[in-house]
Amino acid sequence: MIDAKTKLYGLIGKPVEHSLSPAIHNALFKKYNINAVYLAFEVDDLESAVKGIRGLKISGLNVTMPYKEQILEFLDGLSEEANAIGSVNTVVNREGKLIGYNTDGIGTLKALKRFTEVEGKRVLLLGAGGAGKAITYTLSRLAKVVVLNRTEKKAKELEKFGVKGEKLSKESLEYYLSWADIVINATSLGMNEDKTPIPKELLKEKLVVFDIVYSPLETKLLRETRKFGCLTIDGLWMLIYQGAESFRLWTGVKPDVEFMRKVALEALKSERRSI
């Protein structure tokens, strides 16, 4: 029941109307009897939005595109990983101080560990954007990582984390697919479209293939690599695990990820029916 003691959490970004986060977090608040609500806010003016967060004493936020990097200048502090990556997807209001975190990397790592070993493995990461940076930072401490990106400069910038960065081309893709144990698509290619970052003729057997895109749940990349006998992991697992870490930072409660996935799948089905 919403009352004067109800805490407010939310998501800021643009667009946010199809986000699964409100369904997931509100279900968690109900499950754990936490007097709180979670709303999605489509933001045009980030500076004004952050002032409103302070003024309304909003307890915590998720941050999505295009504000993951822009929000840094408006915060009071950053966690170690958020500072290193230069990107924030979670904000915690600690007695008026807004502290930024990034849970994308740990979300990816936990999703991977659910299905396979990571330590000492060879990881090929496609994409050096916000999610790619977070994933690189986290995995570079456990595995050998190569980052391929259409803009070579962005891939090279991630070499500060002790990885190798190169331009994404058919030649580099073919070479590193033969080298890799795990392939992660951290690009948006395949999101709501039947496209894949890996041409069919370059596919290899017995890879672990993780696509962080979750709409559609089975992307063309996952569909084609599964036919080659690869172990495939859908992007909803990353969303669930990074959201679980956000929830823990806000509330101190380690949530049930199986429950979260069930809620998310139901919300996806409902969304498809409404479109």
Side-chain angles (χ1 to χ4, degrees), residues 74-94:
F74 304 115
L75 301 179
D76 301 305
L78 298 172
S79 66
E80 179 186 341
E81 76 280 355
N83 185 55
I85 297 162
S87 176
V88 162
N89 78 332
T90 302
V91 177
V92 181
N93 189 338
R94 301 198 186 280

Side-chain angles (χ1 to χ4, degrees), residues 124-173:
L124 173 60
L125 178 67
L126 307 180
K133 285 193 290 184
I135 294 167
T136 301
Y137 172 80
T138 302
L139 296 188
S140 65
R141 301 180 171 199
L142 297 170
K144 299 173 184 177
V145 180
V146 170
V147 181
L148 300 182
N149 192 69
R150 283 181 300 178
T151 305
E152 186 176 12
K153 182 181 177 182
K154 281 192 170 185
K156 290 291 186 185
E157 286 172 355
L158 298 187
E159 290 187 342
K160 64 184 177 182
F161 297 135
V163 306
K164 185 175 182 62
E166 291 190 13
K167 182 176 178 61
L168 174 60
S169 66
K170 187 173 182 179
E171 292 73 25
S172 63
L173 193 55

Side-chain angles (χ1 to χ4, degrees), residues 1-211:
M1 176 178 161
I2 296 175
D3 58 26
K5 295 181 181 180
T6 302
K7 291 184 176 181
L8 178 58
Y9 296 84
L11 168 70
I12 59 171
K14 187 175 182 179
V16 294
E17 61 182 4
H18 294 301
S19 173
L20 298 177
S21 294
I24 294 169
H25 288 293
N26 285 315
L28 287 174
F29 290 142
K30 183 177 180 180
K31 178 178 176 64
Y32 295 107
N33 295 313
I34 296 171
N35 188 2
V37 295
Y38 184 108
L39 300 174
F41 301 100
E42 186 153 311
V43 169
D44 291 313
D45 184 337
L46 181 60
E47 184 175 6
S48 296
V50 175
K51 287 179 180 177
I53 291 159
R54 294 183 188 278
L56 294 171
K57 297 182 180 180
I58 291 175
S59 298
L61 291 169
N62 284 131
V63 184
T64 190
M65 298 300 291
Y67 300 125
K68 287 186 175 185
E69 295 178 358
Q70 295 177 32
I71 199 170
L72 269 68
E73 65 178 292
F74 304 115
L75 301 179
D76 301 305
L78 298 172
S79 66
E80 179 186 341
E81 76 280 355
N83 185 55
I85 297 162
S87 176
V88 162
N89 78 332
T90 302
V91 177
V92 181
N93 189 338
R94 301 198 186 280
E95 299 179 349
K97 300 290 185 182
L98 300 182
I99 310 300
Y101 296 82
N102 193 302
T103 68
D104 284 335
I106 191 66
T108 300
L109 178 59
K110 287 186 175 183
L112 279 170
K113 281 187 169 183
R114 183 183 183 92
F115 297 95
T116 188
E117 292 291 329
V118 178
E119 193 163 353
K121 296 294 185 179
R122 294 173 293 190
V123 178
L124 173 60
L125 178 67
L126 307 180
K133 285 193 290 184
I135 294 167
T136 301
Y137 172 80
T138 302
L139 296 188
S140 65
R141 301 180 171 199
L142 297 170
K144 299 173 184 177
V145 180
V146 170
V147 181
L148 300 182
N149 192 69
R150 283 181 300 178
T151 305
E152 186 176 12
K153 182 181 177 182
K154 281 192 170 185
K156 290 291 186 185
E157 286 172 355
L158 298 187
E159 290 187 342
K160 64 184 177 182
F161 297 135
V163 306
K164 185 175 182 62
E166 291 190 13
K167 182 176 178 61
L168 174 60
S169 66
K170 187 173 182 179
E171 292 73 25
S172 63
L173 193 55
E174 184 173 15
Y175 179 81
Y176 285 110
L177 280 170
S178 296
W179 166 85
D181 302 306
I182 299 170
V183 178
I184 303 173
N185 176 35
T187 75
S188 61
L189 197 63
M191 183 181 296
N192 297 316
E193 59 182 0
D194 198 38
K195 293 183 179 180
T196 174
I198 303 178
K200 195 172 184 178
E201 63 270 20
L202 298 185
L203 295 178
K204 308 293 181 182
E205 295 180 352
K206 298 180 181 179
L207 287 169
V208 176
V209 182
F210 186 7
D211 196 337

